[in-house]
Amino acid sequence: MSDTSSNTKALKSQINKLKKDLNSKDKEILALFNANIILDERIDELEKENQSIALVASKIINNDEKYQEISKSKIDRQQLMQILGGTKRLNVTMCLQLVRDLLPERIDVAETAWVSAEEHDDVFSKCNELLNLLARLSVDYFEEVQKGKEGKFFTTSEFAGAESRTTNNNKDLSTERIFYYKGRRMPMSRHLKIGNSLDSSKTLRLYYQWSASDGKIIIGYCGKHLSLLDKR
């Protein structure tokens, strides 16, 4: 009887050990499964970023001569006088060229911004308002931000310091707000705003970031309203 009892105890002990081992293995499998999900999500993010890069690259390559002409050309004095005199129609690209050429030590324009501006040139009609925002960004705002401060030079209808939580938590939307400057990946959330409607001719978004390493404000995007969850 004692032998049977001993055997039973030994068997129960083995069973309990097997259960613990099985439970440990289950936890390991669950951890690996969760890690695999995280890796799959990261792969999806990288694929979407690569698609975004490829899209920008293709636009630059397909319009290489036009892009190079836009990004390297400068506003000459004759054009400047025509703009000041109101005899030359402004477009988004010219506004970026003006601020970059007049204050190159303060403002630079990323490749992605030239592409977005060129796409919005024939649509957007409020370029004088855009120039007004760029003037405050490159003068008043710049002088504060280079000191590590951020003064209030824009109204709440003109400026957003960050995107909404809904936008930030959506992978597609947050990826759309990653821009590229001299090969560097630059996520941007601060942006200036004109308009808040579905009318593209009266609506524009300008995303920018202060770069301490460059000592400049980098404009990453300047064009149509980017996608929102409820407007896609």
Side-chain angles (χ1 to χ4, degrees):
M1 190 74 178
S2 60
D3 289 342
T4 303
S5 178
S6 296
N7 289 337
T8 302
K9 287 181 179 179
L11 185 59
K12 285 183 177 179
S13 177
Q14 288 178 355
I15 291 172
N16 288 334
K17 184 177 183 302
L18 287 172
K19 284 182 177 179
K20 287 180 181 179
D21 290 343
L22 184 60
N23 186 47
S24 176
K25 294 297 181 185
D26 285 342
K27 288 180 179 178
E28 288 180 17
I29 292 170
L30 181 60
L32 288 171
F33 180 74
N34 289 334
N36 189 56
I37 291 175
I38 293 171
L39 285 173
D40 285 342
E41 289 176 348
R42 183 56 183 151
I43 288 170
D44 288 342
E45 288 176 6
L46 290 172
E47 286 178 349
K48 286 169 183 174
E49 286 184 25
N50 286 336
Q51 289 171 5
S52 177
I53 296 170
L55 180 61
V56 172
S58 67
K59 287 178 180 177
I60 293 173
I61 291 169
N62 293 335
N63 298 284
D64 188 56
E65 291 183 5
K66 188 174 185 179
Y67 167 76
Q68 293 294 336
E69 181 183 347
I70 291 171
S71 63
K72 292 183 178 179
S73 66
K74 296 181 179 294
I75 299 291
D76 60 34
R77 287 179 293 179
Q78 180 176 316
Q79 287 178 310
L80 182 57
M81 285 304 299
Q82 289 175 321
I83 291 168
L84 293 173
T87 60
K88 188 175 185 67
R89 180 187 175 274
L90 272 172
N91 60 34
V92 180
T93 296
M94 290 171 66
C95 290
L96 294 182
Q97 287 174 323
L98 275 170
V99 70
R100 180 205 60 184
D101 294 347
L102 292 173
L103 294 168
E105 73 283 0
R106 297 186 174 204
I107 299 284
D108 206 356
V109 181
E111 296 89 333
T112 43
W114 291 120
V115 172
S116 58
E118 194 271 335
E119 290 177 346
H120 211 38
D121 278 343
D122 294 331
V123 179
F124 188 62
S125 62
K126 293 191 170 185
C127 286
N128 286 333
E129 288 188 30
L130 175 58
L131 268 185
N132 183 283
L133 291 178
L134 286 168
R136 281 179 277 160
L137 180 70
S138 59
V139 179
D140 304 310
Y141 185 92
F142 175 87
E143 289 173 359
E144 287 297 302
V145 78
Q146 69 172 340
K147 300 173 187 174
K149 303 176 183 179
E150 192 167 12
K152 294 182 179 180
F153 302 105
F154 306 102
T155 66
T156 54
S157 64
E158 295 174 329
F159 170 81
E163 292 286 8
S164 68
R165 183 179 298 177
T166 302
T167 298
N168 287 330
N169 289 340
N170 184 285
K171 292 174 186 174
D172 291 341
L173 300 182
S174 57
T175 298
E176 195 176 4
R177 287 149 175 82
I178 297 171
F179 309 110
Y180 294 87
Y181 173 65
K182 294 183 177 179
R184 284 151 47 191
R185 177 181 180 277
M186 298 183 76
M188 298 184 185
S189 57
R190 279 183 172 78
H191 57 280
L192 300 180
K193 307 182 290 182
I194 296 176
N196 193 26
S197 67
L198 297 177
D199 186 350
S200 296
S201 69
K202 299 176 182 178
T203 304
L204 179 139
R205 294 296 181 266
L206 185 151
Y207 286 76
Y208 69 91
Q209 180 173 305
W210 162 251
S211 172
S213 59
D214 296 288
K216 297 180 181 182
I217 292 171
I218 309 301
I219 297 174
Y221 178 91
C222 187
K224 66 179 183 179
H225 200 305
L226 292 175
S227 302
L228 295 174
L229 196 61
D230 58 346
K231 291 184 180 180
R232 304 189 75 203

